Amino acid sequence: MTIRIGHITPSSNTALEPLTYAMNAPLAQSVTHHFSRMTVTHLALSGSSEAQFQLEPMLAAARLLADAPLNAILWNGTSASWRGLENDLRLCEAITNETGIAASTTTIAFYKTFREYDWKRIALAVPYTPDITEQIGTEYARQGFEVVGAASLGRRENIEIGATEPEPIRALLREAAKSKPDCIAVVCTNFNATELVEEMEAELGIPIVDSIAITFRE
């Protein structure tokens, strides 16, 4: 029996699809991944950014995925990390009500993992602007997690985020590690820390929870 997973993906994302396929390679005979895009070009605490994450565009992407026989649908994006978990819970309920398919999201996967491993002191390593980074800290606190350190690149355009080279990501992780957290959360599904996790965990001695990998695990 083949398990088929659908992903709702930001339109300007270039990282998560190839990385998901690479992680799935050992399972390719039994698990497949299928993608539907919705418009997301920039990340900011603004009306234009907020408009990208409204329910109907996400449901439209879910309906297209549901034309295929799927076992689950994932919102492969981290917007609820600053917009609030209730948005993803509402989205999952709406997807399941409309399609009959179980749904989850990257942000839900993060919180499940933090609780699974009893990680309460979190450091952030993110590409975002300082205001979004600060809002993620506020939302994490609402869910019972303390952000003890945060490192950000200050980028707004998703294409620029996806083009980030490995060395700035390494530097970001090193900066986040200075706060001695239980784990480092890399919050963005267009940010290729995924291929650096094993290397940087060995260097830093701290678990790294990467958005793309944690969504794949979900």
Side-chain angles (χ1 to χ4, degrees):
M1 175 183 173
T2 299
I3 296 171
R4 298 181 178 89
I5 309 299
H7 300 255
I8 302 171
T9 306
S11 59
S12 51
N13 195 303
T14 55
L16 76 84
E17 288 151 310
L19 289 166
T20 298
Y21 287 133
M23 288 185 289
N24 194 65
L27 305 172
Q29 298 304 310
S30 57
V31 182
T32 61
H33 296 267
H34 311 272
F35 299 88
S36 183
R37 293 191 170 220
M38 53 168 285
T39 300
V40 178
T41 60
H42 62 285
L43 296 312
L45 298 185
S46 67
S48 63
S49 180
E50 177 68 15
Q52 300 173 121
F53 300 110
Q54 297 308 297
L55 186 60
E56 184 50 42
M58 292 196 178
L59 281 179
R63 290 185 200 106
L64 292 175
L65 286 168
D67 285 345
L70 299 177
N71 297 93
I73 294 176
L74 299 170
W75 160 227
N76 205 320
T78 57
S79 56
S81 297
W82 64 88
R83 296 181 65 240
L85 177 62
E86 62 274 8
N87 291 281
D88 273 9
L89 296 176
R90 188 181 309 118
L91 171 65
C92 290
E93 182 179 13
I95 289 172
T96 300
N97 286 343
E98 183 131 345
T99 68
I101 300 170
S104 190
T105 75
T106 303
T107 301
I108 290 171
F110 264 114
Y111 292 143
K112 285 171 64 176
T113 301
F114 294 159
R115 293 188 174 104
E116 179 182 350
Y117 290 97
D118 197 30
W119 292 330
K120 297 177 181 176
R121 301 176 68 258
I122 315 298
L124 300 175
V126 299
Y128 305 127
T129 53
D131 55 349
I132 283 187
T133 306
E134 182 178 353
Q135 186 63 27
I136 293 172
T138 299
E139 287 300 322
Y140 274 32
R142 288 181 61 219
Q143 302 302 322
F145 305 103
E146 180 186 5
V147 172
V148 296
S152 61
L153 291 181
R155 296 181 181 172
R156 178 180 182 275
E157 300 303 317
N158 202 32
I159 289 176
E160 293 179 12
I161 291 170
T164 307
E165 295 292 329
E167 199 49 47
I169 300 174
R170 290 187 181 99
L172 202 69
L173 291 166
R174 291 178 183 124
E175 182 65 26
K178 292 178 180 178
S179 59
K180 307 296 184 185
D182 296 334
C183 72
I184 299 171
V186 181
V187 184
C188 181
T189 62
N190 196 30
F191 198 53
N192 186 8
T194 314
E195 295 181 314
L196 302 176
V197 167
E198 185 174 357
E199 168 198 335
M200 295 306 295
E201 284 184 336
E203 175 184 323
L204 301 173
I206 298 170
I208 297 169
V209 188
D210 168 73
S211 292
I212 299 170
I214 207 64
T215 310
F216 176 80
R217 181 176 183 261
E218 176 72 0

